[in-house]
Amino acid sequence: MKKRIVRITAALCAAALLAGCGSSIGSKDGGYYATEAAAQESYNYDSAAGSVDSGLVPENAAEAATDETAQKIIYNASLSMESTDFDTTREALMTAVEANGAWLESTSLYGTEKDHDRTADYTVRVPVGSYRAFLATVGDAGSVLNISESAENITSSYIDVQARLSALEAQRDRLNALADQAETTADLLEIESQLSDVQYQLENYTRQLRSMDQQVSYSTVDIYLREVATLTPTGVTFGERIADAFGGGWDAFVGFLQGLVIALVYLWPVLLIAVVVVFILRKVWKKRSKKEKLPKPAQAPLPAEYPVKPGDEPKPKY
């Protein structure tokens, strides 16, 4: 009996050492992002409508995503767009999402149709095989001002997680074999406790591996769409920019006059009261001015019975 316990204890120690070897691969916290400083590349360029093409994602990206021996790369993109026909552009974007087997991860809409100041933010998950076609379709939907792409290589992290899973699976198989050989309840409970911990770690790393597979298979594309009255010119000459400046200045002046007229129409009750008050104040001021201009009455002469005697004349002052 004692030899049996010794053998089981030794087997448990060996399983623990095996798990420790698997856990030593990569980071201590079990997170695959912490195991590798991911290699990233990003490209920024200006683009006109209909000319968007990826210079980063290879044409065989779909095959590489499913090939176990290929590099595991996560592709992301961000686009900024504008359109004079906001509703039509939104419908074209939704059509592009459906046509390329993509799906919306998040969406938000701001502004009102009345004020023509609407903006929209979309986060789209696109199959890596349809990534290039999706960007081309988006370029046809509106005027793309700029686009940036990035590639993150997670191959080392992916291999680390696979190694951990293999080590944990081997440990689980060994513990199952020991459980079949256990002769006492105490030994069986100890083995089941070890199995529970191993199963938890297996599920955790399986979720991480599944998440990495999804990020590699589906690229993330962020789209910002803005409604405008006039498209922002791209690639214009200096003379064209001067002409656009003159046209924009005139449009701004006309818009200012229209806004002023609309403001006056809104404020007509206040303006009417102000005119009445000014009219009354002018009337009051005119009456007061007339009173101040009236001549003063002349002083009455002294009566004849009080003649001025000689010597009573007022003496001059020196």
Side-chain angles (χ1 to χ4, degrees):
M1 184 67 182
K2 291 183 179 180
K3 292 182 178 180
R4 173 73 65 180
I5 295 175
V6 171
R7 286 198 300 270
I8 293 175
T9 304
L12 290 175
C13 292
L17 289 174
L18 184 61
C21 293
S23 299
S24 64
I25 301 174
S27 65
K28 295 181 180 180
D29 60 355
Y32 58 87
Y33 286 114
T35 63
E36 175 185 25
Q40 293 188 356
E41 300 178 43
S42 60
Y43 300 85
N44 294 277
Y45 55 90
D46 291 334
S47 172
S51 62
V52 176
D53 188 19
S54 173
L56 188 61
V57 179
E59 294 183 358
N60 62 341
E63 292 79 5
T66 56
D67 188 358
E68 294 183 358
T69 61
Q71 296 287 312
K72 301 299 180 180
I73 301 176
I74 300 174
Y75 297 101
N76 297 316
S78 178
L79 297 93
S80 178
M81 305 175 59
E82 62 182 16
S83 174
T84 56
D85 193 344
F86 190 80
D87 293 326
T88 301
T89 301
R90 285 185 60 201
E91 293 177 1
L93 291 177
M94 296 302 101
T95 302
V97 170
E98 295 178 1
N100 291 278
W103 51 278
L104 284 174
E105 189 173 61
S106 66
T107 178
S108 58
L109 179 64
Y110 308 95
T112 61
E113 182 179 3
K114 178 181 178 182
D115 296 331
H116 301 287
D117 62 348
R118 288 173 291 178
T119 60
D121 290 300
Y122 301 103
T123 298
V124 187
R125 300 298 302 274
V126 185
V128 68
S130 303
Y131 177 85
R132 297 168 66 94
F134 179 76
L135 290 185
T137 307
V138 169
D140 294 331
S143 178
V144 179
L145 298 180
N146 57 71
I147 173 175
S148 63
E149 299 179 82
S150 65
E152 181 182 3
N153 193 330
I154 61 168
T155 305
S156 298
S157 299
Y158 193 91
I159 294 174
D160 289 346
V161 175
Q162 284 183 323
R164 293 189 182 197
L165 283 173
S166 298
L168 288 170
E169 288 173 354
Q171 182 183 3
R172 180 188 59 188
D173 295 340
R174 183 176 292 274
L175 289 173
N176 285 327
L178 290 175
D180 294 336
Q181 299 174 4
E183 296 181 355
T184 65
T185 304
D187 294 338
L188 185 60
L189 291 176
E190 179 65 24
I191 295 172
E192 288 180 350
S193 177
Q194 291 277 346
L195 276 171
S196 178
D197 183 60
V198 169
Q199 187 63 34
Y200 173 78
Q201 295 183 56
L202 278 170
E203 293 175 357
N204 182 33
Y205 289 119
T206 301
R207 284 194 298 268
Q208 292 186 18
L209 198 66
R210 189 181 300 115
S211 176
M212 284 190 286
D213 284 332
Q214 187 181 44
Q215 292 183 66
V216 170
S217 300
Y218 285 84
S219 300
T220 302
V221 180
D222 294 317
I223 302 174
Y224 172 75
L225 174 63
R226 181 167 64 97
E227 183 180 22
V228 295
T230 305
L231 295 177
T232 301
T234 57
V236 296
T237 63
F238 180 74
E240 292 174 340
R241 293 175 63 185
I242 293 293
D244 291 337
F246 274 111
W250 174 254
D251 293 339
F253 177 71
V254 172
F256 170 75
L257 291 180
Q258 292 176 349
L260 180 61
V261 171
I262 292 174
L264 292 176
V265 171
Y266 272 112
L267 296 175
W268 73 265
V270 178
L271 295 176
L272 180 61
I273 295 174
V275 170
V276 173
V277 171
V278 170
F279 179 78
I280 294 174
L281 291 177
R282 285 175 60 88
K283 286 289 187 180
V284 173
W285 182 77
K286 286 182 178 180
K287 289 182 180 180
R288 186 172 298 175
S289 298
K290 288 181 179 180
K291 290 182 179 180
E292 292 178 354
K293 291 180 180 180
L294 291 177
K296 296 182 180 180
Q299 189 176 0
L302 294 174
E305 59 268 25
Y306 299 101
V308 178
K309 297 181 180 181
D312 292 341
E313 297 86 359
K315 298 180 179 181
K317 297 181 180 180
Y318 297 97

